Amino acid sequence: MLEFIKKYKHGLVIATYSLVYMVLFFYLERMPVHGYHVVHTVFDDMIPFCEYFIVPYLLWFPYMIGTVAYFIFINKNKREYYQLICNMMMGMTIFLIVSYVYPNVLHLRPAEFPRDNIFTDAVKWLYRTDTSTNVLPSIHVFNSLAIHMSLTSCEALKDCKTVKRASLVLTILIIMSTMLLKQHSVIDVCMGATLALFGYLVFYPQKALETSTAPSWTSYKGRRKNYKL
């Protein structure tokens, strides 16, 4: 047991932070608040409710836990592990700060469900267990993008196109699910994505530089080729 802990002691960082985060999150959910700022846009009213997206919404949990476990127990590159967890901890800490200084609430959840099936039952359970307060920025969106960044930037997975494509599809579905289940406003999603972009620039600067310069280099080569013709 001691040998196991010694070998994977780096995993204690995210485990300890997760415990602290959950304590603070539940405190913020229950602390007395004089008034909440309502998060709403006209675009939210245009987005329909679709209970089937409860599936990708809940897949966020194994997606996140599985990826972190991969970087702890399987991937040998500890730098990539710390890039991921520092990015996640940064975003989740900012979320806690925003929730404390700017308490917010959502009034998008349907009063009645259009259909009655196992998926709506799952949504009802979600609504009971997760309040509609403190939704800005969306952690579902931020963590999904942070996880996808870590997988696409992983050297050990650079040739695993299936993993990258599956990660991209799941990330898109998770982001869509936050709005189609009326769990988040478009503002929450945009703020979560903006925070993820900031994390990408901070923790993956080399990858961000490659991404920003690749199109211009391709365009430059294309212009040279046309000029020769």
Side-chain angles (χ1 to χ4, degrees):
M1 185 63 179
L2 290 175
E3 189 65 29
F4 178 84
I5 295 175
K6 184 179 179 180
K7 184 177 180 180
Y8 300 109
K9 62 182 179 181
H10 54 286
L12 294 175
V13 178
I14 189 63
T16 302
Y17 177 83
S18 297
L19 291 175
V20 173
Y21 172 83
M22 293 305 297
V23 170
L24 293 175
F25 175 78
F26 284 117
Y27 167 74
L28 291 171
E29 287 284 283
R30 289 160 177 76
M31 76 173 188
V33 177
H34 296 296
Y36 286 98
H37 302 270
V38 179
V39 181
H40 183 266
T41 71
V42 293
F43 302 107
D44 298 321
D45 300 326
M46 302 176 185
I47 300 174
F49 170 83
C50 183
E51 70 273 19
Y52 303 113
F53 275 83
I54 188 65
V55 176
Y57 188 88
L58 294 179
L59 283 176
W60 175 79
F61 295 97
Y63 179 46
M64 178 178 62
I65 295 171
T67 301
V68 172
Y70 166 77
F71 281 98
I72 293 174
F73 301 110
I74 300 176
N75 193 318
K76 305 301 181 183
N77 191 328
K78 289 186 180 180
R79 178 176 176 273
E80 293 178 344
Y81 161 75
Y82 283 110
Q83 282 179 309
L84 170 60
I85 66 165
C86 287
N87 191 12
M88 292 176 65
M89 291 189 296
M90 177 275 298
M92 294 164 77
T93 301
I94 290 177
F95 163 77
L96 292 173
I97 294 172
V98 171
S99 298
Y100 182 76
V101 301
Y102 186 79
N104 50 85
V105 67
L106 208 63
H107 294 319
L108 296 176
R109 293 178 174 182
E112 296 182 359
F113 293 101
R115 293 165 291 277
D116 186 17
N117 51 45
I118 189 173
F119 301 102
T120 53
D121 290 340
V123 176
K124 291 175 184 177
W125 169 83
L126 176 64
Y127 285 179
R128 288 194 302 268
T129 56
D130 186 15
T131 69
S132 58
T133 59
N134 297 325
V135 294
L136 178 71
S138 170
I139 288 300
H140 252 68
V141 171
F142 169 76
N143 275 352
S144 296
L145 289 170
I147 290 167
H148 180 64
M149 292 171 191
S150 71
L151 293 175
T152 55
S153 302
C154 178
E155 283 297 318
L157 299 175
K158 63 180 180 180
D159 296 324
C160 298
K161 294 183 179 179
T162 302
V163 172
K164 295 180 180 179
R165 289 170 182 168
S167 174
L168 176 61
V169 171
L170 182 55
T171 296
I172 292 172
L173 289 175
I174 290 172
I175 293 173
M176 292 174 60
S177 73
T178 63
M179 295 177 286
L180 289 165
L181 293 179
K182 301 302 179 179
Q183 278 290 92
H184 285 284
S185 165
V186 172
I187 295 177
D188 308 333
V189 172
C190 291
M191 291 298 99
T194 302
L195 188 57
L197 175 60
F198 173 75
Y200 186 61
L201 296 174
V202 171
F203 297 103
Y204 301 90
Q206 187 59 40
K207 291 290 182 179
L209 182 62
E210 291 174 3
T211 302
S212 63
T213 57
S216 60
W217 172 240
T218 303
S219 176
Y220 171 71
K221 289 194 298 182
R223 287 197 300 269
R224 283 190 61 188
K225 184 177 180 181
N226 292 336
Y227 178 76
K228 289 179 180 180
L229 291 175

